[in-house]
Amino acid sequence: MDKEIFDAKESILKNGIKLITIKKETSLFSIHAGINIGSLYENKKEKGIAHFVEHMLFKGTYKQNNEKLNANLENIGGEYNAYTDYNSTVVSIAGLTEELKNGMELIADMLMNSSFDKEEIDKERDVILAEIRTSKDDVEDYSFNKAHEIAYKNSPLKYDTIGLEKTVKSFNRDMLISFYKKYYVPNNCYISIVSSYNHAYIESLVEKIFSSWEYGEFTRNEVIIEKNIPLKKINYKSNIEQSSILYIFTFHDLDKTEELALRILNHKFGESINSILFRELREKKGLAYDIYSNLDVTKCVKSIYIYTAVSSLKIDEAIELIDVCIQKIKDEIFVFDNDTINLMKKILKTAVVSTIEDTVDLGNYVLHQKIDGEDIFEFVNDMENLKNIKSSDIYEVARKVFNNPTIHILLPKESD
């Protein structure tokens, strides 16, 4: 596998837009436009404002109202979406190639001309508050949010991307527009476009459509980076049957090779259907239906999670067994041999090929690589570096990462 696997070109336009064009034999296109602002950069009074602005992008512009904008998006005949994560807000459109120009014009209008109609703001506030309340009803979401609350003192990871009820209620039109005008500038925008068109044509089209978008000076808030606080805490929730357990470990001091070893470890430990945690807690003991680990290597996040839902009577047994599994890895009792590493190579290659063959996935992948300041062909280096990963590297990274967890336990609240 080499860097000729897809035909990409990167450029910076006159007004500062970072553009990645990918020429591919396809009848489809995908456009992803990412603003490099997300929940990591919000201060305490702004929790959820990036997400609120994302919602308002679909609520009308100075050129077309809410109904007309969404009708035009629908008329592309493909897919359109948006999301806010830790470090970005992304709008995407995909469809047949002949609709590419229309799709690009719609995204440009949303990024440059959103109107923030007062009535639409009030309606969308209720939608977001409903979203927050829905996450409280979901045991898994609720567990993750509560675990993050206790895991950090000042880190923005303490708060969910969708925000808090009190902050969402406090946002007015002036606050939303101020945030939008400050960060929605071309020099804070990354655009990836996958299509069958050549690079020069796409670049000229983007240059023309976004020509009136003016460069703007801005400064993001500094991100506070913390390790998780080692503690165990129990919360109670009404109207739930199962209890949950969530571990958080952070790792801000690993290099790329160590992170690659951690990816192998995570897959074998709790990501795959045949993982250590799945076998030990579900298959052998029947303690849980749902048990997994999840790895997030996003810049400034760098966390690995262990989650399971069990009977409240089995909490102590499940925690003890999770701890035993971790210790057996650190003590090299569970084997990570060449077969494990070779399997990971195959899994990584499969994931890469799947991404490349899907225009939407490919556009989203390269966009985030650029936002994170990474090489869009990093997977090639990963495939090469996998050859050099040894079992000793996996055990060593386990000993570095699996220490001093935050453990959150959620139990059913007994009726009064």
Side-chain angles (χ1 to χ4, degrees), residues 129-138 141:
L129 290 172
E131 187 178 358
I132 292 172
R133 291 163 190 151
T134 299
S135 73
K136 291 180 179 179
D137 291 336
D138 185 287
D141 283 353

Side-chain angles (χ1 to χ4, degrees), residues 20 26 59-60 104 127-128 139 159 170 180 192 199 251 270 280 289 321 332-333 345 356 375 380 385 396 405 410:
I20 313 103
T26 176
K59 297 302 171 181
M104 193 182 299
V127 170
I128 295 170
V139 170
Y159 307 98
S170 74
Y180 173 76
S192 70
H199 303 294
F251 51 91
E280 297 297 318
Y289 172 77
L321 193 49
E332 305 185 19
I333 295 171
K345 291 177 186 177
I356 290 168
D375 184 354
V380 176
N385 291 334
E396 188 57 36
L410 183 64

Side-chain angles (χ1 to χ4, degrees), residues 37 48-59 84 89 110 114 116 128 171 175-181 184:
I37 194 70
I49 195 168
H51 176 255
F52 203 134
V53 169
E54 173 227 310
H55 275 235
M56 293 307 301
L57 297 178
F58 291 88
K59 297 302 171 181
T84 303
T89 300
M110 294 163 72
S114 284
F116 293 87
I128 295 170
F171 299 147
M175 293 171 69
L176 295 170
I177 289 178
S178 176
F179 189 89
Y180 173 76
K181 286 185 175 180
Y184 279 66

Side-chain angles (χ1 to χ4, degrees), residues 208-231:
K208 179 180 179 181
I209 290 173
F210 287 89
S211 61
S212 63
W213 204 11
E214 296 182 356
Y215 184 101
E217 295 290 344
F218 69 93
T219 303
R220 298 185 201 90
N221 293 330
E222 185 177 349
V223 178
I224 298 171
I225 297 175
E226 296 177 341
K227 288 187 70 67
N228 64 282
I229 300 168
L231 58 81

Side-chain angles (χ1 to χ4, degrees), residues 47-82:
K47 296 305 174 186
I49 195 168
H51 176 255
F52 203 134
V53 169
E54 173 227 310
H55 275 235
M56 293 307 301
L57 297 178
F58 291 88
K59 297 302 171 181
T61 73
Y62 291 112
K63 295 182 177 181
Q64 49 191 335
N65 63 21
N66 175 23
E67 290 77 14
K68 186 176 181 182
L69 171 61
N70 283 275
N72 286 333
L73 287 166
E74 190 72 22
N75 286 337
I76 294 292
E79 303 173 9
Y80 60 94
N81 202 358

Side-chain angles (χ1 to χ4, degrees), residues 107-368:
I107 284 184
D109 194 25
M110 294 163 72
L111 296 183
M112 296 163 56
N113 303 310
S114 284
S115 57
F116 293 87
D117 178 82
K118 175 67 169 59
E119 186 177 335
E120 295 293 343
I121 289 172
D122 291 339
K123 286 192 291 188
E124 207 58 27
R125 188 193 319 278
D126 289 338
V127 170
I128 295 170
L129 290 172
E131 187 178 358
I132 292 172
R133 291 163 190 151
T134 299
S135 73
K136 291 180 179 179
D137 291 336
D138 185 287
V139 170
E140 192 168 347
D141 283 353
Y142 186 82
S143 299
F144 269 84
N145 289 338
K146 284 295 180 183
H148 279 103
E149 283 180 21
I150 66 170
Y152 305 102
K153 183 179 180 182
N154 297 305
S155 167
L157 298 180
K158 189 177 182 75
Y159 307 98
D160 190 14
T161 297
I162 62 177
L164 307 171
E165 286 196 45
K166 65 178 181 180
T167 52
V168 170
K169 288 178 179 178
S170 74
F171 299 147
N172 57 40
R173 185 171 186 270
D174 287 344
M175 293 171 69
L176 295 170
I177 289 178
S178 176
F179 189 89
Y180 173 76
K181 286 185 175 180
K182 180 178 181 179
Y183 295 111
Y184 279 66
V185 290
N187 43 306
N188 194 35
C189 180
Y190 296 74
I191 298 177
S192 70
I193 299 176
V194 182
S195 74
S196 58
Y197 292 113
N198 63 54
H199 303 294
Y201 170 75
I202 295 294
E203 185 173 329
S204 66
L205 192 61
V206 175
E207 191 89 67
K208 179 180 179 181
I209 290 173
F210 287 89
S211 61
S212 63
W213 204 11
E214 296 182 356
Y215 184 101
E217 295 290 344
F218 69 93
T219 303
R220 298 185 201 90
N221 293 330
E222 185 177 349
V223 178
I224 298 171
I225 297 175
E226 296 177 341
K227 288 187 70 67
N228 64 282
I229 300 168
L231 58 81
K232 182 189 292 184
K233 184 171 181 179
I234 298 173
N235 281 115
Y236 298 87
K237 192 177 191 308
S238 301
N239 302 317
I240 60 172
E241 296 294 329
Q242 286 283 82
S243 300
S244 69
I245 304 166
L246 184 68
Y247 282 58
I248 299 177
F249 301 88
T250 53
F251 51 91
H252 295 289
D253 53 353
L254 300 186
D255 60 28
K256 286 291 185 183
T257 301
E258 289 172 317
E259 285 192 6
L260 193 55
L262 186 59
R263 287 175 65 182
I264 299 172
L265 167 61
N266 177 62
H267 181 81
K268 178 76 171 179
F269 178 57
E271 188 178 51
S272 79
I273 194 66
N274 192 37
S275 69
I276 290 169
L277 290 175
F278 186 88
R279 288 202 315 268
E280 297 297 318
L281 271 79
R282 175 170 164 165
E283 297 294 289
K284 292 184 180 180
K285 296 291 186 180
L287 291 176
Y289 172 77
D290 199 15
I291 172 71
Y292 66 85
S293 65
N294 181 56
L295 179 64
D296 191 333
V297 295
T298 303
K299 184 179 178 182
C300 301
V301 180
K302 306 293 185 184
S303 301
I304 187 167
Y305 305 90
I306 302 168
Y307 173 85
T308 189
V310 300
S311 162
S312 57
L313 300 176
K314 300 293 185 179
I315 287 286
D316 291 340
E317 184 181 355
I319 288 175
E320 182 180 358
L321 193 49
I322 291 169
D323 290 343
V324 167
C325 289
I326 289 171
Q327 194 59 49
K328 283 185 176 180
I329 294 172
K330 293 162 79 170
D331 292 341
E332 305 185 19
I333 295 171
F334 286 129
V335 176
F336 289 81
D337 54 17
N338 287 335
D339 288 342
T340 303
I341 297 171
N342 288 334
L343 175 59
M344 193 62 197
K345 291 177 186 177
K346 190 184 298 184
I347 291 166
L348 179 58
K349 188 172 183 178
T350 301
V352 168
V353 172
S354 297
T355 297
I356 290 168
E357 291 187 356
D358 187 301
T359 56
V360 174
D361 286 351
L362 180 56
N364 194 56
Y365 167 77
V366 298
L367 180 83
H368 281 285

